[in-house]
Amino acid sequence: MIRVLTYGTYDLLHYGHINLLRRARALGDYLIVGLSTDRFNALKGKTAFHDYETRKRMLEAVRYVDLVIPEETWEQKLGDVQTYKADIVVMGSDWKGSPRFEYLRDYCQLVYLDRTPGISSSDIKEKLHLIKEE
Ligand code: C2G
């Protein structure tokens, strides 16, 4: 049983997120998502449109996701790898080489998957705002 772990805010769930989750799950047999809490988003300088509970419920409805856990700090990742016996940590390529993840190489496999171009939660928010104004 290969267990895969990934992290994110997953706000306004879109096909870029789904592409990541599908490919991450395909690397193993079980996918855990560390979902950024609203407090942690504030730490990341992000304000999600949907709150944690809503984002969690939406993620849990995705066929590729087996378990959603809260991501509350940057530092919890090694503990999560050990607690959930993750064999692989997967992130989108925008995180490639980040010290926030690179140290995990001593404890598990670390895989960066290409981001899906042309879509992001912030773009969606911007475009929705423009439509509202028309
Ligand atoms: N992603 C992607 N393609 C996009 C948008 C996002 O592959 N067009 C990926 C990101 O690279 C990330 C995941 O989808 O792996 C979730 O994206 P975000 O919710 O934006 O996550 P982020 O804010 O980068 O949070 O501790 C790590 C952070 O919690 C990651």
Side-chain angles (χ1 to χ4, degrees):
M1 161 84 103
I2 296 182
R3 303 160 71 83
V4 184
L5 173 61
T6 188
Y7 292 89
T9 298
Y10 288 97
D11 190 29
L12 298 172
L13 205 57
H14 54 67
Y15 64 87
H17 294 140
I18 302 301
N19 280 345
L20 189 288
L21 295 169
R22 187 187 70 255
R23 286 173 296 159
R25 175 64 178 73
L27 292 173
D29 311 289
Y30 189 87
L31 176 61
I32 302 157
V33 179
L35 182 63
S36 308
T37 59
D38 298 326
R39 279 168 58 89
F40 185 57
N41 274 331
L43 271 179
K44 290 196 289 186
K46 276 186 149 181
T47 310
F49 180 82
H50 290 305
D51 66 9
Y52 176 80
E53 275 315 310
T54 302
R55 290 182 286 114
K56 181 171 188 282
R57 269 205 304 277
M58 289 172 77
L59 264 188
E60 286 172 338
V62 175
R63 67 168 56 202
Y64 306 116
V65 176
D66 295 287
L67 177 66
V68 178
I69 61 171
E71 179 189 27
E72 297 170 288
T73 67
W74 290 110
E75 298 74 23
Q76 72 179 72
K77 295 180 173 60
L78 176 50
D80 291 344
V81 167
Q82 291 161 337
T83 305
Y84 295 96
K85 300 180 176 48
D87 302 285
I88 311 171
V89 167
V90 173
M91 288 304 290
S93 49
D94 46 316
W95 289 91
K96 196 174 178 75
S98 165
R100 301 274 191 205
F101 288 92
E102 285 300 314
Y103 75 98
L104 293 171
R105 282 190 193 284
D106 296 337
Y107 305 94
C108 62
Q109 223 184 306
L110 182 58
V111 174
Y112 298 107
L113 299 172
D114 289 345
R115 262 180 84 90
T116 301
I119 181 87
S120 73
S121 306
S122 34
D123 282 355
I124 293 170
K125 273 193 261 187
E126 219 171 280
K127 290 196 174 81
L128 283 178
H129 182 68
L130 293 175
I131 294 167
K132 200 177 71 182
E133 280 188 342
E134 276 168 12

